[in-house]
Amino acid sequence: IARGCLSPARLALAVPAPVHAAANRKVAVIGAGMAGLACARRLAAASVETIVLEARDRIGGRIHTDRRWPGVTVDLGASWIHGVAGNPVTALARDAGARRAATSYEASSAYGLDGATIDIDADVARMERLIDEAREEAADLDEDVSLKEAIEAHPRYARLDARGRSLLAHVVNAQYELEYAGDWSELSAWSLDEDSGFAGADVLFPDGYDAVPLFLARGLDIRLGAVVTTVSIDGRGVTVRLAGGGVVTADHVVVTVPLGVLKEGIAFEPALPDRHRDAIDGLGFGVIEKTCLRFDKPFWPADVDWIEFISARRGEWAEWLSPTRATGAPLLVGFNGGAYGRSLASLDDAAIVDAALEALRAAFGRKVPAPQGSIVTRWAADPFSRGAYSFNAVGSDGAMRRALAEPVEGRLFFAGEATSAEYFATTHGAYLSGIAAADAVLDA
């Protein structure tokens, strides 16, 4: 899977082997994303025979680096280390020799429909207070409600004029829908942001985030194109059945596929316990799609990382990343999530690019040129992800994530960002969950 292997000493330095008796056991790890690779590498460091089964023809999962444009690298999935201080992915990136470049939400500029830059800081602060007050009032209710219901029940919401509602929609989209990948009608008013984070800057990878999973994969036994259909467990071990008739047997199995795949992609025999099924059904799995546009040269300010667009239509093309300042690449990346992100699935790529250009021309004028190239992501249509990442839907919380991470009969284990109550929806959450699952296997 990767050329060259780490020496035992280097492997031990990168992932300290836990003090356990490995015994003669065999473990099947389903999924070669961050969680699966972290788990497999931890097990391999403890001398456990480990096989990684990956449905795609590549590793990385929701880390996917595209290099179709000479000299320009685009990460279509995960892009940042969010908070570098103490973040385990920071150490991995350093060990992998991956270049990093910081971006800042402070380096931003906002545009209205008339193409003029606008100062929205005071308005954003006002809307943030409204949202906080609405959620505080919702916290006193007997049952959880959506963020949308909580906000619309606040007395000040009814008094907002058209401009105020447009700004509120922008703040909800930028700070909640695009942050957590759920529509405001789905996000829990109680628990949507009960996650934690690391301090420090957010950094992206000028040469591609895939350097990290490639580093983790060194020396591992990874079987690509292995589409798992069924996982069966009994007192003797596990049987993993593959599309096409293949079978893998092992003593334990660690399932690290995205929550979207757990919802409808893999069968379990016997059926999972109620606590696992309730977690899979109750947690949300959201959509974030990117539209990446490559230009000959920037027509936007070179000193900004983020371009905010106050659209006339809620949730459309509100946030654009410009990696130009950090990496030099003449790119703009538009983000769409929530209900509008899902609606893009009905459009072809050309129509989505046209819609993106219409928004950019509203912000920067009709002289915005056609891009030299474009990439439109389709994570929601990917059968091996079915979306972006998990979120706390109405009625769900961290207890469901902890329940999902519990072993089943000492044979079946789960990992992935959806099992992390503290760091869900992040690559570091996925990585840490893989380490935790490996240690649970070793303790079994």
Side-chain angles (χ1 to χ4, degrees):
I1 245 321
R3 284 182 279 274
C5 299
L6 292 176
S7 68
R10 188 70 183 90
L11 182 60
L13 177 63
V15 183
V19 181
H20 296 285
N24 292 321
R25 287 187 284 171
K26 179 179 178 182
V27 179
V29 176
I30 302 175
M34 283 290 283
L37 294 173
C39 179
R41 188 163 173 183
R42 184 80 153 190
L43 291 171
S47 301
V48 175
E49 181 184 357
T50 307
I51 297 173
V52 182
L53 304 172
E54 170 54 50
R56 293 184 172 93
D57 61 359
R58 61 173 180 82
I59 66 168
R62 284 166 282 175
I63 295 175
H64 186 197
T65 302
D66 188 287
R67 294 183 174 82
R68 72 185 68 182
W69 297 325
V72 177
T73 300
V74 185
D75 278 310
L76 303 180
S79 298
W80 286 271
I81 300 176
H82 288 294
V84 296
N87 192 314
V89 183
T90 300
L92 289 173
R94 182 185 62 241
D95 290 346
R99 282 200 304 141
R100 285 144 283 159
T103 62
S104 172
Y105 291 109
E106 301 300 319
S108 66
S109 186
Y111 294 82
L113 286 170
D114 59 359
T117 57
I118 53 178
D119 184 353
I120 61 172
D121 289 350
D123 291 309
V124 167
R126 182 164 57 95
M127 297 306 163
E128 289 173 339
R129 287 193 297 272
L130 188 158
I131 295 168
D132 289 344
E133 291 168 6
R135 293 188 64 199
E136 288 172 4
E137 293 177 4
D140 294 329
L141 298 175
D142 293 334
E143 293 184 351
D144 192 11
V145 297
S146 70
L147 181 63
K148 179 178 186 291
E149 291 175 279
I151 291 172
E152 291 183 341
H154 192 283
R156 278 204 287 137
Y157 177 80
R159 298 196 294 270
L160 291 176
D161 57 16
R163 180 179 180 276
R165 293 203 178 191
S166 178
L167 285 164
L168 174 64
H170 177 78
V171 173
V172 168
N173 183 246
Q175 297 191 17
Y176 294 94
E177 293 177 322
L178 294 180
E179 179 75 11
Y180 293 101
D183 192 77
W184 71 328
S185 64
E186 303 169 309
L187 292 166
S188 164
W190 285 2
S191 66
L192 71 90
D193 57 357
E194 66 174 17
D195 55 328
S196 300
F198 291 96
D202 292 342
V203 301
L204 45 72
F205 293 78
D207 304 316
Y209 210 142
D210 63 350
V212 174
L214 286 170
F215 172 75
L216 284 173
R218 294 179 186 175
L220 297 179
D221 182 357
I222 301 176
R223 317 285 175 85
L224 299 178
V227 180
V228 173
T229 60
T230 308
V231 175
S232 303
I233 62 172
D234 58 35
R236 297 179 301 277
V238 298
T239 301
V240 180
R241 293 182 175 84
L242 308 178
V247 174
V248 174
T249 59
D251 298 293
H252 310 278
V253 62
V254 184
V255 179
T256 73
V257 300
L259 178 64
V261 177
L262 287 179
K263 285 179 178 289
E264 52 184 306
I266 294 179
F268 292 90
E269 299 174 348
L272 292 175
D274 288 346
R275 65 185 183 276
H276 291 78
R277 192 69 256 171
D278 290 346
I280 292 169
D281 292 341
L283 291 167
F285 196 68
V287 172
I288 296 290
E289 302 291 6
K290 296 181 180 181
T291 300
C292 311
L293 305 178
R294 180 176 64 91
F295 295 92
D296 178 52
K297 59 183 179 180
F299 55 81
W300 57 94
D303 59 346
V304 303
D305 295 335
W306 290 96
I307 295 167
E308 298 186 69
F309 178 54
I310 316 301
S311 173
R313 296 181 295 273
R314 199 186 79 80
E316 297 186 21
W317 307 106
E319 294 278 305
W320 292 84
L321 167 69
S322 166
T324 309
R325 185 177 72 93
T327 70
L331 288 175
L332 285 178
V333 181
F335 293 79
N336 285 295
Y340 184 67
R342 288 194 182 94
S343 73
L344 294 178
S346 64
L347 304 178
D348 62 24
D349 288 4
I352 293 172
V353 171
D354 285 345
L357 288 173
E358 191 64 26
L360 289 174
R361 286 166 180 160
F364 292 101
R366 306 310 299 179
K367 292 184 179 180
V368 168
Q372 292 186 334
S374 62
I375 305 172
V376 174
T377 66
R378 300 280 182 177
W379 288 105
D382 184 334
F384 306 127
S385 62
R386 301 181 186 269
Y389 42 78
S390 66
F391 63 87
N392 284 356
V394 175
S396 69
D397 57 17
M400 283 188 173
R401 299 180 183 276
R402 288 186 287 272
L404 182 57
E406 292 178 7
V408 178
E409 298 183 18
R411 299 289 183 184
L412 170 61
F413 302 79
F414 290 92
E417 56 83 14
T419 69
S420 174
E422 192 171 9
Y423 301 119
F424 59 87
T426 65
T427 52
H428 54 265
Y431 175 81
L432 291 170
S433 76
I435 297 296
D439 288 348
V441 170
L442 294 170
D443 282 334

